[in-house]
Amino acid sequence: RRPSKSMSDSGRLLHYWAAAVLLTLIWMAFAWPWLSGSVTIPWDAKAHFAPQVQFMAASFGRGELPFWNPYAFSGHPQIADPQAMIFSPPMLALSLINHSPSLWAIDAAVLAMRLVAGVGVLWLAYDLKWHWAGALVAALGFAFGAAMAWRLQHFGQVFSLAYLPFVLVLLRRAMLKPSLAYGAVAGVIAAFLVLGRAQVALLCVYVMVGYVVWQWCQAERIGSEIVRTLPALLSGAIIGGTIIALPVLMTLQLAEISNRPSIDYA
């Protein structure tokens, strides 16, 4: 339910800060088996994604760019591979800071993004004026349930999903004002989401498009609402499109010589 109308904005904000603290404590309890080193994220996380991150980090340590991997097949264009994590801000930051990241460090970065995802849901709920307790439940469900749990071994998909609530907040603010600045920042975050270049990212794009259309349909005059919000949306589309254009084009070229696209059909 919505909070009482008599509650001040400062009171609501205080409740949400308390919810964020509770979220962090619960996240720490849920993530502790991995953070303590008792267990590790299994399967593809270790067989495929961790070596990709470690190659990128080692390349930076040698003063090289991790765009070409001579150790895979007869050489592999890492820069075109969506699973290489080169365009993933969390893994890129880890690789720049630590040139020999342990499996634990990589796991910790993935788990940290789940906490970030929960904070994003709290922010969205705050904007929507939800009760803080309901917002906390929603944040926990988003950060630890469904695709976040099932896709945990696939880092890029977890990251794409983690960006989604932030994009929705920024889209909402961009359309309510309307604001070119919010639209531009929404475009940047949406670009990070899209650069996951996997099915979760595609589903998130459908959600973003549906959200914009739904906001238009809430207006009394849909045509006027489209005209009013279009500049803000275009600012995000242009900036986001510019960021993703080259990586997506390179991935499309790589797909032409890969058997991955045929697997779904088979």
Side-chain angles (χ1 to χ4, degrees):
R1 64 183 179 86
R2 293 181 181 272
S4 169
K5 291 183 179 179
S6 62
M7 183 181 296
S8 65
D9 287 341
S10 59
R12 284 188 62 241
L13 188 60
L14 184 62
H15 284 167
Y16 267 83
W17 275 111
V21 171
L22 281 173
L23 173 67
T24 303
L25 292 174
I26 296 170
W27 167 84
M28 191 171 294
F30 282 179
W32 185 248
W34 291 269
L35 294 176
S36 67
S38 298
V39 295
T40 190
I41 302 175
W43 303 311
D44 284 0
K46 296 300 176 287
H48 185 70
F49 287 96
Q52 303 264 34
V53 175
Q54 289 172 332
F55 169 78
M56 176 166 58
S59 296
F60 288 137
R62 295 190 299 268
E64 302 171 356
L65 292 175
F67 295 165
W68 179 263
N69 184 351
Y71 307 113
F73 308 109
S74 296
H76 182 71
Q78 289 287 101
I79 194 171
D81 190 341
Q83 298 176 338
M85 301 284 104
I86 293 175
F87 297 104
S88 170
M91 289 308 180
L92 180 60
L94 176 63
S95 299
L96 289 169
I97 295 169
N98 184 348
H99 295 152
S100 183
S102 65
L103 299 180
W104 177 89
I106 295 171
D107 282 359
V110 177
L111 293 166
M113 282 300 290
R114 298 178 78 172
L115 176 60
V116 169
V119 171
V121 172
L122 287 182
W123 189 21
L124 178 60
Y126 179 81
D127 258 28
L128 294 172
K129 294 183 169 53
W130 289 9
H131 191 282
W132 69 268
L136 178 59
V137 171
L140 290 170
F142 184 77
F144 292 99
M148 279 293 197
W150 165 235
R151 290 297 181 182
L152 184 59
Q153 61 172 318
H154 299 139
F155 302 162
Q157 300 191 36
V158 170
F159 295 163
S160 288
L161 198 56
Y163 297 130
L164 180 60
F166 295 95
V167 178
L168 294 179
V169 171
L170 294 165
L171 274 177
R172 181 176 184 273
R173 292 189 174 193
M175 296 181 73
L176 285 178
K177 297 286 183 188
S179 166
L180 293 177
Y182 277 127
V185 178
V188 173
I189 306 300
F192 294 153
L193 184 159
V194 171
L195 286 175
R197 287 163 288 173
Q199 61 265 46
V200 168
L202 181 62
L203 291 171
C204 288
V205 169
Y206 293 157
V207 171
M208 290 186 292
V209 172
Y211 183 78
V212 170
V213 172
W214 177 77
Q215 288 281 22
W216 283 339
C217 292
Q218 296 295 300
E220 292 183 4
R221 296 181 177 179
I222 297 177
S224 298
E225 183 68 7
I226 292 174
V227 171
R228 188 182 73 90
T229 58
L230 199 57
L233 295 173
L234 282 176
S235 72
I238 292 170
I239 291 174
T242 301
I243 294 172
I244 69 170
L246 190 57
V248 169
L249 286 173
M250 289 188 292
T251 299
L252 287 173
Q253 285 188 315
L254 179 62
E256 292 178 359
I257 58 172
S258 169
N259 66 346
R260 280 306 282 254
S262 66
I263 293 175
D264 289 343
Y265 296 106

